[in-house]
Amino acid sequence: MKNNFDNIENKRKDGSVWFNDLTRKRTNGPTFKDHRYTEYSDETKSVHSGQYDDPSTGALGTPIFQCSTFYLNESSYKAIEEGRGRDEMIYTRYGNPSQWSVQEKVSALENAESSIVFSSGMAAISSAILAMLDKGSHIVSSRDIYGGTYNFLYEDLDKFGMSVTFTSPTNIEEIEAAIQYDTKLLYFEALTNPLLKITPIEDLALLAKKHNLRLIIDNTFLTPYNVKMLDLGVDLVVNSATKYLNGHSDLIGGTVSGSRKLVDRIWPQMLKNGGSMDPHACFMLERSLKTFALRMKTHNSNALELAEYLENHPKIKKVYYPGLKSHPQSELAKKQLKGRNSGMISFEIEGGDKKSHELLNALKLPKEATSLGGVESLISLPYNTSQASLTKEQRKSIGINDGLIRLSVGIEDINDIISDFDQALSTIF
C-alpha cells in the first residue's frame, strides 16, 4: 500500500498534493496472505481462511500471540507517518497476528474486504455507529432491536448531539417516513428478538441508496452462513461473536465487516473506545469458526424439525419460525434465506407464563440461560430476560404475549431434543 506522492499529475503548481488526488489503493485485510478461498464453500472457508502458518516453527494452527507490543522498525515508522498504522504490527490494541487471523476468516465468510473483531458485541455496535455519524446526525432504527443497542441509541446518542427514531423493522413505508434531512444511518437487525420478524434487507438497501444513507445490519441471529448481508447491498454487518460465530458459550466478542474504506473509519473509533479483542479470545474464536458451517447446518435442520413438532402439538398455541409456512413472511424467508432458515425458535404455550416456567423446569436437555447460539440448546422467557424492562402492556403492544418462550436449538441429536419436549409437555399437562 504505497502513496504515489511523486506522481507529477497529482502535484499543484505550489508543489502541494490534494487529498482527492491521492492514488493510494486500499487492499483487503489487513492480512498475512492474499488467498481468501473465495472459490470454495463456507465449510472450506471456515477451516482454511485466515489461518496463520508460522514460518519459524511450521505450527499447524494459528499460535496465540500473547503480547502487548511489537518491535518498531523503519516500516512501522513509515506506516505511522502515512496513516497506515492498521497495516503494521505496532501495539496489540492496534493490531495483533491473532486478530488479523480471525478477522481474515470472518471476512472470507462475510464476503467482505475487511473486518474488525471486538471485545464484545456492544463494542462492535457502538464503535460502528459512532464512526458513521457526526454531531447532529439522526438515525432510523427498529423498535425490535436488542435491548443493549436500544439503550445505547435511546440513552447515549443524545449526549453526542444525535437523535434516533424507532420504527417497524418490516414496514418500508414507515421507515422511509422516518427519514429526516439530517438522517445519516439506518440500523436494523436481520431477524428480530424474540418474535423472529424478517427485515427486508434488499428493500432497505435500495431505500438507503435512494436517500444516500449508510445501512448497518446486525446479523447475529442469522450469521453469514444463512445470509451474506454485504451481497444484498448492506454497507456494514455486525455480529455478536459471543453467539453462533463462536458457538461454545465460552467467550464474549463482536465483529464488524464491510468495505476496507468504511472499516478503516471504524478502526480509530475502536482504538478510542478501547474495545479490541485480546489475543487469547481471538485464538478461541478462530478455532471455533473452523466448525462454524457444520454447526450452523445442524442448528438449522434441528430447529426446523423441532418447530414442525411444536406447531403440531395441541398445547402449543403459536410457533414463530421463518422456515414454517405459517410464518407471515415465509415467502421473504425463502427468497432472503434461501432455505437456510435459523437456529432460533419462539413459541407460545397454553397456560401463560406459569406453564412456561413449569416447562423450563421439566426439560432435561435445554439449559435455562440467557444468550444463544451455543452447541447446547438454551431456553429462556423474554418477559423476565430480554424484555424485562418493559411493562406488561408494552410487551403486548409489540406482540410479546403471556407464555412466550425463546429457544436457541443446539446441535444435540434432534430425536433426543423432541423426546425431551414430549416428556416435558406430557408432565406439565
Side-chain angles (χ1 to χ4, degrees):
M1 293 175 39
K2 296 181 178 179
N3 280 314
N4 297 323
F5 290 116
D6 295 328
N7 188 327
I8 190 67
E9 295 178 357
N10 291 334
K11 287 190 175 180
R12 304 297 177 187
K13 290 181 179 179
D14 62 356
S16 64
V17 179
W18 288 74
F19 178 78
N20 288 337
D21 292 332
L22 298 182
T23 58
R24 186 181 79 202
K25 303 295 183 184
R26 286 185 171 92
T27 61
N28 290 343
T31 180
F32 294 107
K33 56 186 180 182
D34 295 328
H35 192 21
R36 277 262 176 117
Y37 297 88
T38 53
E39 69 274 29
Y40 293 98
S41 67
D42 281 351
E43 286 77 4
T44 303
K45 288 178 182 177
S46 296
V47 175
H48 293 288
S49 60
Q51 180 168 301
Y52 173 72
D53 301 316
D54 185 67
S56 299
T57 65
L60 179 64
T62 307
I64 305 172
F65 290 85
Q66 197 69 48
C67 58
S68 61
T69 192
F70 301 84
Y71 289 113
L72 293 172
N73 53 41
E74 184 178 344
S75 178
S76 308
Y77 291 124
K78 187 174 182 182
I80 294 170
E81 182 182 346
E82 295 179 355
R84 296 185 293 104
R86 192 180 171 214
D87 291 280
E88 293 286 336
M89 296 299 164
I90 299 171
Y91 187 64
T92 282
R93 183 160 55 89
Y94 287 42
N96 176 292
S98 299
Q99 291 171 359
W100 283 21
S101 178
V102 70
Q103 285 171 179
E104 187 69 357
K105 193 180 289 290
V106 170
S107 291
L109 291 166
E110 294 279 14
N111 289 344
E113 290 180 2
S114 186
S115 298
I116 300 177
V117 290
F118 293 80
S119 57
S120 71
M122 277 310 304
I125 290 165
S126 59
S127 296
I129 289 173
L130 290 176
M132 294 298 113
L133 300 178
D134 302 310
K135 185 177 181 180
S137 296
H138 173 257
I139 298 175
V140 178
S141 189
S142 163
R143 287 187 286 266
D144 296 66
I145 57 172
Y146 166 62
T149 309
Y150 180 90
N151 292 337
F152 171 71
L153 294 176
Y154 182 73
E155 298 174 0
D156 290 4
L157 285 192
D158 184 62
K159 301 172 186 176
F160 299 99
M162 303 170 188
S163 60
V164 59
T165 299
F166 296 104
T167 70
S168 160
T170 60
N171 190 325
I172 292 296
E173 290 75 21
E174 183 183 343
I175 296 169
E176 184 165 26
I179 296 172
Q180 304 172 177
Y181 73 94
D182 53 356
T183 304
K184 295 290 194 301
L185 181 66
L186 304 179
Y187 184 95
F188 288 81
E189 294 177 359
L191 192 66
T192 68
N193 174 33
L195 298 179
L196 307 186
K197 301 172 187 176
I198 305 168
T199 301
I201 300 299
E202 289 181 295
D203 291 343
L204 209 54
L206 289 173
L207 184 64
K209 187 174 182 180
K210 175 182 175 182
H211 292 275
N212 196 28
L213 308 174
R214 298 293 186 195
L215 173 59
I216 301 179
I217 295 293
D218 182 335
N219 198 31
T220 298
F221 269 37
L222 290 174
T223 80
Y225 181 78
N226 288 323
V227 187
K228 299 201 184 299
M229 288 294 157
L230 301 176
D231 292 351
L232 300 183
V234 171
D235 292 299
L236 292 165
V237 57
V238 301
N239 288 278
S240 171
T242 311
K243 315 304 193 295
Y244 286 111
L245 294 188
N246 178 58
H248 292 77
S249 304
D250 57 6
L251 72 77
I252 302 294
T255 70
V256 175
S257 302
S259 69
R260 181 69 197 260
K261 179 180 179 181
L262 290 182
V263 176
D264 276 355
R265 283 179 59 179
I266 298 170
W267 181 70
Q269 188 69 51
M270 182 270 290
L271 298 184
K272 288 179 282 188
N273 288 2
S276 59
M277 181 178 275
D278 77 88
H280 189 262
C282 291
F283 161 77
M284 292 178 66
L285 179 56
E286 198 260 337
R287 175 219 56 189
S288 295
L289 278 168
K290 292 182 178 182
T291 61
F292 167 68
L294 295 178
R295 287 186 283 105
M296 289 308 304
K297 193 180 297 183
T298 306
H299 285 303
N300 288 347
S301 62
N302 278 359
L304 176 60
E305 199 166 336
L306 182 60
E308 291 171 342
Y309 161 81
L310 291 170
E311 189 171 49
N312 291 313
H313 196 284
K315 295 299 182 181
I316 303 301
K317 295 169 64 177
K318 187 172 183 178
V319 178
Y320 301 86
Y321 185 70
L324 295 176
K325 291 181 180 179
S326 58
H327 192 286
Q329 298 170 290
S330 60
E331 290 304 313
L332 177 60
K334 288 178 186 176
K335 177 185 176 185
Q336 195 160 288
L337 308 185
K338 295 180 171 59
R340 289 194 165 183
N341 301 316
S342 167
M344 299 298 299
I345 301 174
S346 290
F347 61 96
E348 294 173 12
I349 189 172
E350 286 191 3
D353 294 335
K354 179 178 181 297
K355 283 295 182 183
S356 297
H357 281 286
E358 290 181 17
L359 178 64
L360 268 57
N361 290 332
L363 287 166
K364 298 176 181 177
L365 291 179
K367 308 302 180 185
E368 186 176 354
T370 59
S371 198
L372 56 108
V375 291
E376 63 285 299
S377 294
L378 297 175
I379 195 165
S380 62
L381 306 180
Y383 94 89
N384 64 6
T385 53
S386 56
Q387 271 71 34
S389 62
L390 303 179
T391 66
K392 192 169 186 177
E393 290 71 25
Q394 287 174 323
R395 289 195 294 270
K396 282 198 171 183
S397 71
I398 60 175
I400 298 176
N401 300 318
D402 286 352
L404 183 70
I405 298 169
R406 192 191 79 176
L407 173 66
S408 171
V409 185
I411 64 170
E412 303 97 337
D413 183 271
I414 186 57
N415 295 315
D416 292 336
I417 298 175
I418 291 176
S419 294
D420 192 27
F421 269 89
D422 206 42
Q423 68 80 22
L425 288 165
S426 297
T427 298
I428 68 170
F429 288 106

